[in-house]
Amino acid sequence: MNASRIFLLKSLLLALPLPLLLGALLSGAHAQDASQVLAERYPPGSIETARRAEAALDDIATTRADVDRFYSNQRAACFDRFFATACTNDVREKRRAALTKIRKIEVEANALLRKEKAAERDRALAERDVQAKQQPVRGLPISGTVREPEPNTRDASEAPGDRQP
């Protein structure tokens, strides 16, 4: 083989994986960007209403599905490499970092929704207490005196034959 042919083969072998590597890097940036964009859209302390918390949870579900799909594809691509373990460990770490960003937002949104739900429950209990105080007592008042039995009814302690005419 002449030198020019060897050079051509080497350059093809080096040039061929470069676009694949760039594609993988750009795609990896996309998945991390998705979690980063979500973190920028919902910075800490920015979720102050139930509507915003529900929107954040919807965005989180979509972003988490995208991140999971991307990293499962990346992990599958690792098995084509010679050092598959190192590659899968790297993919796992990047996925964990992306999901950590997402999880912080999810915790904040769920905390606000729990707080809103507890406040609504407290309002309902307070309203029920006010209504209970406004309505008259339905039961019989306790007088503290013993009632006399009505004349038509028999006392349970009396035997049927002990009755006086």
Side-chain angles (χ1 to χ4, degrees), residues 31 34-36 38-39 59-61 63-65 67 95-108:
S35 63
Q36 185 63 33
L38 192 67
D59 290 346
I60 286 168
T63 304
R64 180 174 280 138
V67 166
R95 179 180 178 272
R96 187 199 59 77
L99 290 178
T100 298
K101 290 178 187 176
I102 294 171
R103 182 71 181 139
K104 288 179 184 178
I105 299 165
E106 185 178 32
V107 166
E108 183 178 347

Side-chain angles (χ1 to χ4, degrees), residues 3-52:
S4 63
R5 216 172 192 189
I6 293 174
F7 178 74
L8 181 64
L9 285 174
K10 283 183 181 179
S11 62
L12 280 175
L13 288 176
L14 291 175
L16 193 61
L18 185 61
L20 295 175
L21 181 62
L22 286 175
L25 288 175
L26 291 176
S27 298
H30 171 69
Q32 288 180 344
D33 285 345
S35 63
Q36 185 63 33
V37 166
L38 192 67
E40 289 172 1
R41 187 179 306 153
Y42 301 103
S46 68
I47 300 175
E48 297 177 347
T49 63
R51 180 175 286 167
R52 183 149 168 92

Side-chain angles (χ1 to χ4, degrees), residues 83-102:
F83 293 110
T85 303
C87 180
T88 56
N89 289 343
D90 187 40
V91 167
R92 187 180 311 126
E93 181 61 29
K94 288 179 183 176
R95 179 180 178 272
R96 187 199 59 77
L99 290 178
T100 298
K101 290 178 187 176
I102 294 171

Side-chain angles (χ1 to χ4, degrees), residues 1 10 36 65 75 82 135 141 144:
M1 278 186 142
K10 283 183 181 179
Q36 185 63 33
R75 186 172 181 269
F82 183 72
Q135 291 179 354

